[in-house]
Amino acid sequence: MITPDFYASQSRLRLIDPGLKLFVALPLLGICLWADSIVLSIAILIFTGSILVKGGGVPLRIYMKLVFLPISFLLLGTVTIALAISDTPGHFFFSFYVFGKYVGFTETGILQATHLFFKALAAVSCLFSLSLTTPITDLEFIARRFRVPGVLVEMTGLVYRFIFLLLDSANTMRTAQLSRLGYSGFAASFRSLASLSSSLFVHSLQKSEDLFIGLESRGYTGNLTVSRELYESRREWYAAFVVFHLAVIAAALFLQSLRGNWW
Amino acid sequence: MVKQPFLLESSGLHYTYPDGTIGLDGLNINVKKGSCTALLGSNGAGKSTLLLSINGILRPSSGMILFNGEALDYSRHGLEALRKRVGVVFQNPDAQLFSASVYQDISFGLCNLGLLDDDVRERVEAVMKKTGVDALRQRPVHRLSHGQKKRVALAGVLVMEPDLLVLDEPTAGLDPKGASEIMHFIKDLQAHSGITVLIATHDIEMVPVFCDHVCVMDAGKMLLQGSPDDVFACRELLRNVGLRLPRIGHLMEILEEKEGFALSGAAFTVGAARRALVALKNN
Ligand SMILES: Nc1ncnc2c1ncn2[C@@H]1O[C@H](COP(=O)(O)OP(=O)(O)O)[C@@H](O)[C@H]1O
Ligand SMILES: [Mg+2]
């Protein structure tokens, strides 16, 4: 199983200020969506990809896998956008005749679909440049900085931690049931699943009680305050990326002024 | 003020769980300052219940607990002060580690003490180096092994620099190497900082090697307290409560009683047994 969180915590860019990473990724995402340019999308895809692979140390193979994870979904979506229906075969690029109508691809349709396809890939890559370099636990600080209520942030952290524990318990219980033929047959499967879910519920209640005791012993008073590691952050970096973003916007405007549909 | 010989004293502790199970039943315990005290008892003897009473999580229905000569103060402020000085490492690290980040979890206790950010960072970094979890910081907690999680949990408690370190079954579920590493670590720690250690365990082999004082519990009561040699001399009593001698002690017992070896005194560790046998050979 590919778990992005694993690469995030191993990333060489992990200790870069998450604020800066956000400052790079989000505007870039915005520009990419706004500019709607194939060339720019590909450039952003390459830029974020090389940050991750060269800078962050994510294996290229893994990066490819993750970016192309939504590809079947994407292809399906874009093909439907490229398709058009009409009474006359006139402006079709390629079409076939069904039930008295012409169904096919028009040039604008294909153009639109291609734009969308690359835009989506670049957008996914932009988000990965954040999520593959920043573990959830570091994102919490940004969330706090943006005044997300503390309870929400703490809950997110706890859920993230406990999902894995719960999965683990569920797996163990299921294996135990399987080894006693708990899922052989329809009725047995239902019974086993029912008892699995109920004991999982009791189990998590117990776990939460234990956790509370553990927290109390370390002086918990209602806030899960933790210290953050020393992030590398410099004003110049922010400044550099302001310039960078402006340059990308300028490039987008330039590409738009060329008036070619395929840029 | 006179220096207190005991860091922890308690007498006549009673605790009953809400469902009616008796956890503690008139328990007395004394823990000397700077000692490494073992709390021995079979499963369900009430060891964990006692540990939770020591840091004020559970409040005994009767009896006294004195920490550093003062009765426990159950006010909010009093409990905060107590928990800063009594650090408890729980048996199951998954119940203690709440953050997916090793660093953040360790910092939790210090942040609760209201220290400055830089001080917190410095102390967390130092304790991570000391406990050897430094190399684990690049991994989310759910990617750590059981032994590694135990280390992180220990670091999260040590960082608060408690006077009394309480460990619930520190070696349970560890392989022999992991168990001995953690015990040696605690021994070293004690040699350097003079911290008092209380270890609840049923790992009998470990006791004569690492502990200088033993308390034996059964059914919520204190059965006997004393040096390892004194306690393990009461073989029948131990067997009656579901415990036994360390293997070496058992072997020496058999050699002496069944095989007629003229051993001088008991031996419960490899080193002691070796000395006894060498002495026998030389005579
Ligand atoms: N939360 C609880 N609710 C009810 N009974 C409990 C609870 N925790 C422990 N007990 C009972 O209290 C007794 C002492 O348990 P414990 O202190 O956990 O023993 P030990 O740690 O020595 O194995 C046992 O009989 C146990 O079943
Ligand atoms: Mg216990």
Side-chain angles (χ1 to χ4, degrees):
Chain A
M1 195 171 72
I2 312 169
T3 50
D5 69 301
F6 179 68
Y7 293 102
S9 48
Q10 299 262 309
S11 174
R12 285 196 294 258
L13 300 175
R14 190 178 70 89
L15 287 178
I16 304 279
D17 177 16
L20 179 74
K21 286 189 265 193
L22 203 68
F23 185 72
V24 175
L26 287 191
L28 212 51
L29 177 68
I31 295 171
C32 161
L33 295 181
W34 158 75
D36 198 15
S37 145
I38 295 177
V39 174
L40 205 68
S41 293
I42 293 177
I44 289 177
L45 189 67
I46 293 174
F47 173 71
T48 47
S50 49
I51 284 188
L52 282 171
V53 174
K54 285 270 178 309
V58 179
L60 183 63
R61 199 173 49 82
I62 300 291
Y63 170 73
M64 293 297 229
K65 256 192 184 164
L66 283 169
V67 168
F68 288 107
L69 208 60
I71 195 120
S72 51
F73 175 71
L74 203 58
L75 280 176
L76 218 67
T78 46
V79 165
T80 32
I81 281 176
L83 276 180
I85 303 173
S86 167
D87 289 331
T88 56
H91 55 293
F92 278 123
F93 203 72
F94 164 81
S95 70
F96 39 92
Y97 187 70
V98 258
F99 302 127
K101 300 241 185 236
Y102 290 92
V103 178
F105 299 105
T106 59
E107 199 193 332
T108 29
I110 291 183
L111 194 64
Q112 217 182 357
T114 318
H115 271 272
L116 188 67
F117 179 79
F118 282 105
K119 207 159 71 169
L121 275 190
V124 167
S125 186
C126 274
L127 286 181
F128 273 130
S129 71
L130 190 66
S131 65
L132 285 181
T133 54
T134 321
I136 303 258
T137 39
D138 288 338
L139 280 176
E140 286 173 22
F141 295 107
I142 312 185
R144 278 184 207 273
R145 218 188 286 169
F146 282 108
R147 308 246 179 268
V148 177
V151 184
L152 217 64
V153 178
E154 289 171 9
M155 287 296 287
T156 314
L158 285 178
V159 166
Y160 175 64
R161 164 92 178 95
F162 279 85
I163 276 175
F164 296 97
L165 283 185
L166 209 62
L167 269 181
D168 214 36
S169 315
N171 263 335
T172 322
M173 287 183 198
R174 206 179 105 83
T175 312
Q177 287 181 327
L178 273 175
S179 64
R180 285 178 292 161
L181 304 180
Y183 292 90
S184 60
F186 196 65
S189 302
F190 261 98
R191 229 178 303 120
S192 296
L193 194 64
S195 73
L196 177 92
S197 10
S198 66
S199 48
L200 211 55
F201 178 72
V202 174
H203 189 84
S204 28
L205 257 174
Q206 182 67 48
K207 286 240 150 130
S208 68
E209 250 166 61
D210 290 349
L211 179 76
F212 183 66
I213 291 179
L215 290 179
E216 249 195 325
S217 303
R218 286 197 283 165
Y220 178 63
T221 51
N223 287 315
L224 290 177
T225 27
V226 289
S227 143
R228 53 189 183 79
E229 283 169 84
L230 213 49
Y231 296 127
E232 267 187 82
S233 179
R234 289 202 208 117
R235 269 170 208 280
E236 299 95 84
W237 291 350
Y238 278 92
F241 274 103
V242 169
V243 174
F244 176 78
H245 289 322
L246 288 177
V248 177
I249 292 174
L253 288 174
F254 172 70
L255 284 169
Q256 278 176 0
S257 73
L258 289 182
R259 290 180 193 280
N261 291 326
W262 286 98
W263 316 126
Chain B
M1 209 183 121
V2 191
K3 205 172 170 242
Q4 286 290 335
F6 291 121
L7 186 61
L8 182 80
E9 294 166 85
S10 82
S11 54
L13 290 186
H14 283 270
Y15 182 82
T16 308
Y17 280 99
D19 66 354
T21 315
I22 293 177
L24 300 177
D25 186 14
L27 184 117
N28 303 318
I29 186 173
N30 295 320
V31 177
K32 274 206 198 83
K33 237 177 212 166
S35 72
C36 180
T37 300
L39 188 60
L40 266 182
S42 51
N43 285 324
K47 303 183 294 292
S48 301
T49 310
L50 173 63
L51 301 191
L52 291 181
S53 314
I54 292 174
N55 77 347
I57 299 275
L58 300 179
R59 185 169 186 170
S61 52
S62 66
M64 279 276 276
I65 302 179
L66 301 182
F67 185 76
N68 218 10
E70 286 170 30
L72 292 204
D73 168 7
Y74 289 94
S75 69
R76 215 190 99 195
H77 190 74
L79 285 179
E80 268 170 36
L82 176 72
R83 286 173 193 159
K84 181 177 154 187
R85 306 186 57 192
V86 179
V88 183
V89 183
F90 290 91
Q91 177 172 359
N92 180 4
D94 278 329
Q96 187 168 339
L97 305 173
F98 72 92
S99 173
S101 147
V102 169
Y103 177 92
Q104 287 181 18
D105 195 277
I106 296 175
S107 75
F108 175 67
L110 283 187
C111 291
N112 288 332
L113 297 184
L115 263 66
L116 287 176
D117 231 22
D118 285 340
D119 295 340
V120 170
R121 217 166 273 141
E122 199 173 301
R123 275 169 73 171
V124 172
E125 294 290 347
V127 90
M128 283 176 79
K129 286 218 174 62
K130 204 159 74 172
T131 50
V133 299
D134 204 27
L136 307 177
R137 69 191 314 158
Q138 292 278 56
R139 276 198 256 173
V141 167
H142 49 268
R143 288 275 183 159
L144 301 180
S145 73
H146 185 70
Q148 291 168 333
K149 283 183 196 167
K150 279 212 160 186
R151 247 165 210 269
V152 176
L154 177 65
V157 168
L158 281 182
V159 78
M160 299 173 76
E161 297 177 0
D163 299 334
L164 175 63
L165 177 66
V166 176
L167 302 146
D168 198 354
E169 311 274 6
T171 58
L174 295 184
D175 56 22
K177 183 161 166 276
S180 124
E181 268 173 12
I182 223 159
M183 290 314 298
H184 277 289
F185 173 78
I186 288 163
K187 218 51 204 166
D188 281 351
L189 180 78
Q190 232 188 346
H192 288 115
S193 68
I195 189 172
T196 310
V197 182
L198 177 62
I199 305 174
T201 183
H202 50 234
D203 179 357
I204 292 165
E205 302 300 331
M206 169 201 99
V207 172
V209 184
F210 293 104
C211 301
D212 44 37
H213 194 78
V214 186
C215 303
V216 183
M217 270 184 83
D218 183 50
K221 293 190 183 70
M222 187 57 67
L223 212 59
L224 58 135
Q225 304 192 40
S227 69
D229 285 346
D230 294 342
V231 166
F232 288 124
C234 309
R235 297 166 205 158
E236 288 316 309
L237 210 54
L238 287 177
R239 282 173 188 147
N240 283 341
V241 299
L243 297 171
R244 56 170 175 81
L245 293 188
R247 294 278 178 226
I248 300 281
H250 193 197
L251 173 68
M252 300 301 272
E253 180 190 353
I254 291 174
L255 288 181
E256 194 168 15
E257 289 179 359
K258 303 250 163 74
E259 302 293 338
F261 279 53
L263 295 170
S264 55
F268 303 104
T269 61
V270 172
R274 179 183 177 181
R275 278 191 298 278
L277 291 174
V278 167
L280 193 68
K281 179 180 148 202
N282 292 344
N283 275 341

